[in-house]
Amino acid sequence: MIETTTGGETTPSVGQLPVERDGPEIATRTTLLVVATIVAAAFLPYVNSFANGFALDDVPIIRDNPLVHDLNDPARLWTSPYWPVAGTVLGLYRPFTIFLFAVQWVLGGGAATLFHVVNVAFHAINTVLVFGLLRTLLRGGRAGLWAAAVGAVVFAVHPVRTEAVAN
């Protein structure tokens, strides 16, 4: 196997993909710039949702559910069903979600804005995690970095996420 090195790039012999190598400082700066761009791509399309009120299932689960309007009975938060109007019939048990709704209600005074901001922040975090997963799977220097970035941006802006993020 014969490798040639020119200008920071190593080109392996025939039959192997070229692997580009930058110094750690350049790679870190580039990755941070890519992550910042990914966060912006995840956040900016949903900024207009911050002024929205509660919609669809948020009305019975959050707005009209006295259980999530305070933190006075934490045991009840962790043992109650997700749908307050259906009881245990639907069988959904999401205690962490209900707990987070109660925390957001208390911190935001019941305003839907905080709920929307938190949803978008979680979406941005998930998008960065998707980038990390793709970066791990698509090794290969700059090409892998940019392929992972494109995949994460598609995840960030894909319309299928709108209901879960903006609602």
Side-chain angles (χ1 to χ4, degrees):
M1 173 202 265
I2 301 172
E3 292 186 0
T4 57
T5 305
T6 55
E9 295 183 15
T10 301
T11 306
S13 63
V14 177
Q16 293 183 347
L17 294 174
V19 177
E20 301 171 27
R21 295 193 170 100
D22 290 325
E25 185 178 305
I26 293 172
T28 301
R29 273 191 310 208
T30 303
T31 302
L32 288 175
L33 180 62
V34 167
V35 168
T37 303
I38 289 168
V39 168
F43 214 86
L44 291 176
Y46 297 105
V47 169
N48 63 348
S49 73
F50 295 169
N52 295 344
F54 292 112
L56 304 173
D57 58 351
D58 294 339
V59 173
I61 295 171
I62 300 170
R63 191 192 72 190
D64 297 342
N65 185 0
L67 176 66
V68 300
H69 293 175
D70 61 55
L71 294 168
N72 294 333
D73 193 0
R76 196 162 159 233
L77 285 172
W78 291 93
T79 57
S80 295
Y82 184 72
W83 285 95
V85 293
T88 58
V89 175
L90 294 179
L92 290 177
Y93 177 64
R94 298 177 180 170
F96 189 67
T97 302
I98 293 295
F99 175 73
L100 286 180
F101 288 161
V103 170
Q104 291 173 69
W105 186 278
V106 169
L107 291 177
T113 302
L114 180 61
F115 289 85
H116 294 303
V117 170
V118 169
N119 277 356
V120 175
F122 279 145
H123 177 60
I125 291 167
N126 287 338
T127 301
V128 171
L129 292 173
V130 166
F131 169 72
L133 174 66
L134 292 174
R135 185 72 178 114
T136 300
L137 295 174
L138 301 172
R139 289 175 252 139
R142 284 189 201 137
L145 173 74
W146 295 114
V150 167
V153 168
V154 168
F155 175 87
V157 301
H158 198 281
V160 76
R161 312 260 173 267
T162 301
E163 194 274 335
V165 177
N167 183 15

